[in-house]
Amino acid sequence: MLDDYLLHEILSRLPAKSLGRFMLTSKKWKALISDPYLKTIQAQRSTQNVLGIISGSTYSLGGSLTYFPLEHNACEAPDTSLGLPAPQAETISLKGACNGLLFIQVFPPIRDLVCNPTTKYSRQLPDLKIYYDDTKFGLAFDPAIFAADFKVVATKRVRQKASSGYYNFYVYSSKANTWRLSNATIPCTRKRLLKSAGSVLFNGALHWLREREDILAFNVEEEVAYNLALPEELRPVSVTWYTSIWLGVVDGRMSLVKSESGDILVWVLEDYGSRRWELKHRIEAQGSGYYWYSMPIFYDGEKCVLVTLGSSKEEYGLAVYKIYRRQWDEIRRPTWSMGVDLCFVPYINHMLG
């Protein structure tokens, strides 16, 4: 008979949907799968396997999220409904994601929630009681460090003059279930945080891109705010309502993917302390077909995903480039509208939450 350790090793490698079915097999299997240790290991392994991309608007959406797989031979699309508590919202605004959890706002009335699309878990956060203009959110969830705990950070730009001001940081903890104003502040200029770019958790800190400038960072545990300067060639530029740059974490290092002069450039932050960036890949994007502009939305070291735009808003598609094969996959035509302020986040299938 298999011992519990070996069962843990086997079960932790299964997708969350299968684990949900196996919980109904027997009381013993339900207890094993409900074990916090197994949930944590399964969540860690799931975060290394992105199945597809979830898209939604940072402004408003008709009550659902859209999923598209990264492989043509992918299995059936997952159920991305969120199982939201009543009353049902008329619109859903996708504000960010971290390791399989989503942070959304629903309205009317306006409510902030953290959701797990796999388990249909959701938690409504207390009212932040601030005006949301010039406010960006970041979700911090790391199953290897925080177990089932997560934090949400709201960074609000407070204007003093037309060209100056500072950022405040409000921190929510799922353990305490309260918001509080952090003592941390940092000066800012008239440049705003990019609307269509979500936050990135790395090195214990949340990171947000700023228009044509740098990265704003906030260490979640130490509650210290700082800026990461970017070389001139890496500073993000907005084209129409999209940004030309994607920020994420690949193989334990922060990476930037930028669309520039028809090519896709992949930069890696080789040394976080010295802010030393190095160019790792140059991809000739023209191989994916004719288009006016392309926007990187995902990169994992093996593939790069682009939204491609033609000469009008109706001419769009999704293209996948296989890095080591040096091969473009055919452009996919999404069934959803390319509205203003679209947000793209990786879909990760896990049980935690």
Side-chain angles (χ1 to χ4, degrees):
M1 180 178 291
L2 297 175
D3 60 26
D4 287 355
Y5 174 78
L6 188 53
L7 279 172
H8 274 145
E9 284 297 301
I10 296 171
L11 293 172
S12 67
R13 287 170 166 79
L14 297 178
K17 190 173 182 180
S18 298
L19 290 178
R21 293 196 188 105
F22 292 158
M23 287 182 73
L24 305 177
T25 304
S26 67
K27 290 183 179 180
K28 179 178 180 179
W29 280 61
K30 182 178 180 180
L32 280 171
I33 295 170
S34 301
D35 187 333
Y37 170 77
L38 182 134
K39 282 188 168 186
T40 301
I41 298 300
Q42 192 271 341
Q44 285 179 265
R45 287 172 174 162
S46 294
T47 58
Q48 300 167 7
N49 181 27
V50 175
L51 304 176
I53 302 293
I54 294 178
S55 69
S57 174
T58 60
Y59 174 67
S60 65
L61 189 66
S64 63
L65 302 175
T66 302
Y67 172 85
F68 102 91
L70 295 180
E71 301 291 342
H72 282 299
N73 58 355
C75 300
E76 60 180 294
D79 175 10
T80 55
S81 63
L82 300 177
L84 299 179
Q88 290 298 314
E90 294 183 9
T91 54
I92 298 175
S93 179
L94 178 58
K95 298 298 184 182
C98 187
N99 289 330
L101 295 187
L102 306 180
F103 178 72
I104 65 170
Q105 288 179 342
V106 298
F107 51 92
I110 187 167
R111 292 170 287 156
D112 298 329
L113 296 101
V114 171
C115 308
N116 183 340
T118 302
T119 62
K120 311 308 174 192
Y121 161 91
S122 66
R123 173 184 284 199
Q124 182 174 334
L125 278 57
D127 186 4
L128 183 52
K129 297 180 180 179
I130 65 170
Y131 185 52
Y132 281 173
D133 187 36
D134 277 347
T135 302
K136 286 280 288 183
F137 292 88
L139 175 60
F141 167 61
D142 188 337
I145 300 174
F146 305 125
D149 188 30
F150 62 84
K151 293 189 177 182
V152 178
V153 176
T155 173
K156 180 173 178 58
R157 182 172 178 259
V158 180
R159 302 183 187 182
Q160 291 178 317
K161 298 179 181 179
S163 60
S164 66
Y166 60 92
Y167 290 106
N168 273 335
F169 298 89
Y170 298 83
V171 181
Y172 168 84
S173 167
S174 62
K175 283 186 176 179
N177 195 31
T178 57
W179 286 98
R180 60 181 179 79
L181 176 62
S182 172
N183 292 326
T185 61
I186 191 169
C188 68
T189 65
R190 68 174 64 190
K191 301 298 184 184
R192 299 189 178 196
L193 301 176
L194 289 169
K195 287 184 179 180
S196 59
S199 63
V200 174
L201 180 66
F202 179 70
N203 226 25
L206 288 164
H207 299 75
W208 297 268
L209 284 166
R210 283 206 293 179
E211 292 176 338
R212 301 177 182 267
E213 203 156 330
D214 56 11
I215 297 173
L216 172 66
F218 178 79
N219 187 291
V220 179
E221 292 300 306
E222 299 176 4
E223 297 194 12
V224 175
Y226 53 95
N227 290 323
L228 275 73
L230 290 174
E232 184 66 35
E233 61 267 33
L234 285 182
R235 294 181 182 177
V237 177
S238 295
V239 177
T240 64
W241 52 82
Y242 298 108
T243 179
S244 63
I245 200 167
W246 173 91
L247 179 68
V249 179
V250 180
D251 296 330
R253 293 180 295 177
M254 189 171 289
S255 298
L256 277 168
V257 184
K258 185 177 182 183
S259 175
E260 183 178 289
S261 302
D263 290 340
I264 305 300
L265 307 181
V266 179
W267 292 76
V268 173
L269 182 58
E270 294 290 353
D271 189 308
Y272 189 87
S274 66
R275 315 294 194 254
R276 180 169 58 86
W277 294 87
E278 291 188 4
L279 180 63
K280 186 169 184 178
H281 296 292
R282 178 183 293 271
I283 303 169
E284 294 183 0
Q286 303 298 338
S288 63
Y290 174 77
Y291 50 82
W292 171 65
Y293 179 69
S294 62
M295 176 185 73
I297 60 170
F298 178 73
Y299 169 73
D300 65 359
E302 295 183 0
K303 51 189 170 291
C304 182
V305 184
L306 308 176
V307 167
T308 61
L309 304 177
S311 57
S312 72
K313 295 179 184 178
E314 302 303 320
E315 298 175 8
Y316 60 87
L318 291 168
V320 179
Y321 182 75
K322 306 296 179 65
I323 301 289
Y324 296 106
R325 294 183 187 175
R326 298 184 180 180
Q327 174 187 349
W328 282 101
D329 211 344
E330 67 181 83
I331 295 177
R332 302 182 176 100
R333 301 293 175 181
T335 57
W336 32 257
S337 171
M338 294 288 285
V340 176
D341 294 334
L342 275 178
C343 181
F344 299 89
V345 298
Y347 177 80
I348 298 169
N349 191 15
H350 76 89
M351 289 288 291
L352 200 59

